[in-house]
Amino acid sequence: WPMQTIGLAAAGLLVAGIAAGAIYGKMGSQSATQEPIVAAKTDSLADSTATARPPAILPANAADSAKAVPFSIEILASNTAEGANFEIQRHGSVMPAATISLVPIGDTEATWYKVHAGAFADSGQAEQLLASLRRRRIVPDSAGSVVRAPLALMVDTVPAQGGMSSRVREKLQGLTAKGVSGYAMIQADGSARVYAGAFERPQQASLAATALRVAGLTPVLVYRTGRVQ
């Protein structure tokens, strides 16, 4: 509720990584295991997002749509925050840009907690990562799919400076402490944007944005740009 992995699930991010639980940032058309291993803090945040459907929000950087990094792997779609968090806890460290996305299911009040990994400019790179994860038995052969998800919730930025890796790592650790699975992407000017979640359409991001606000963050829906940290 995986700018490592902004862990998005306020319910599970949003979350470490909106980005970011407490979420999350979401599969292979399978329901995840539902081991009750998520902290109560994350559960309460998940509950807070399921009571009302907020209005759709629009990307703040529409001019960047042409250079967005659109492709991710949908690792898992769980109907519980616990299932998504379990996947992040098991394999998030070996999945680049791992995050949890709270996504409403149609017009119902139900929610998918989708685990995404990777952020790629072309689908071929995403296919290569998926094949690698399957070879390593991180993702079952029948699970996982490449999806187009150019949008994310930006929850923080890091200006270009010395020691960028350490500064970005600190930001991501802070998100994890809030229950958010976030990830960072380095921009052309050397700065970094910290994201939570990955979304196909703006309408999918409203629940996640609300969850991140509950976690004390200020998410902004954007077309994600840059390269994975």
Side-chain angles (χ1 to χ4, degrees):
W1 150 1
M3 354 202 124
Q4 226 159 73
T5 328
I6 345 57
L8 318 197
L13 325 144
L14 297 13
V15 162
I18 245 162
I23 305 184
Y24 301 164
K26 345 174 119 13
M27 212 142 222
S29 302
Q30 291 185 339
S31 293
T33 54
Q34 302 184 15
E35 291 82 348
I37 62 173
V38 181
K41 174 182 175 184
T42 303
D43 291 338
S44 64
L45 183 54
D47 292 342
S48 72
T49 66
T51 57
R53 178 72 57 81
I57 53 180
L58 297 177
N61 62 338
D64 289 337
S65 61
K67 63 178 182 181
V69 179
F71 295 102
S72 287
I73 300 169
E74 185 174 296
I75 303 294
L76 171 75
S78 173
N79 60 0
T80 68
E82 290 88 344
N85 276 312
F86 182 61
E87 183 66 21
I88 289 289
Q89 290 171 6
R90 286 198 305 168
H91 300 307
S93 63
V94 295
M95 296 190 300
T99 191
I100 300 174
S101 308
L102 279 69
V103 177
I105 302 175
D107 295 326
T108 71
E109 294 301 319
T111 302
W112 283 123
Y113 300 88
K114 294 188 173 185
V115 178
H116 287 99
F120 301 99
D122 66 73
S123 59
Q125 293 174 309
E127 293 283 3
Q128 289 177 7
L129 175 59
L130 178 56
S132 174
L133 294 174
R134 285 174 172 167
R135 284 196 304 269
R136 297 160 66 188
R137 305 300 184 189
I138 293 170
V139 176
D141 289 343
S142 59
S145 61
V146 173
V147 296
R148 187 178 181 88
L151 298 165
L153 288 162
M154 186 171 69
V155 296
D156 211 336
T157 60
V158 180
Q161 58 190 292
M164 278 294 290
S165 295
S166 296
R167 292 296 303 276
V168 168
R169 185 165 53 251
E170 289 174 2
K171 293 287 187 181
L172 295 177
Q173 289 172 344
L175 289 176
T176 300
K178 292 176 179 289
V180 174
S181 297
Y183 57 102
M185 296 183 70
I186 304 300
Q187 305 301 298
D189 63 358
S191 65
R193 293 180 179 179
V194 182
Y195 300 114
F199 307 95
E200 300 173 37
R201 301 180 300 279
Q203 295 85 344
Q204 294 181 333
S206 296
L207 284 176
T210 298
L212 290 172
R213 293 187 192 103
V214 172
L217 300 168
T218 305
V220 178
L221 183 66
V222 295
Y223 286 98
R224 62 183 184 184
T225 60
R227 59 181 174 80
V228 173
Q229 167 69 11

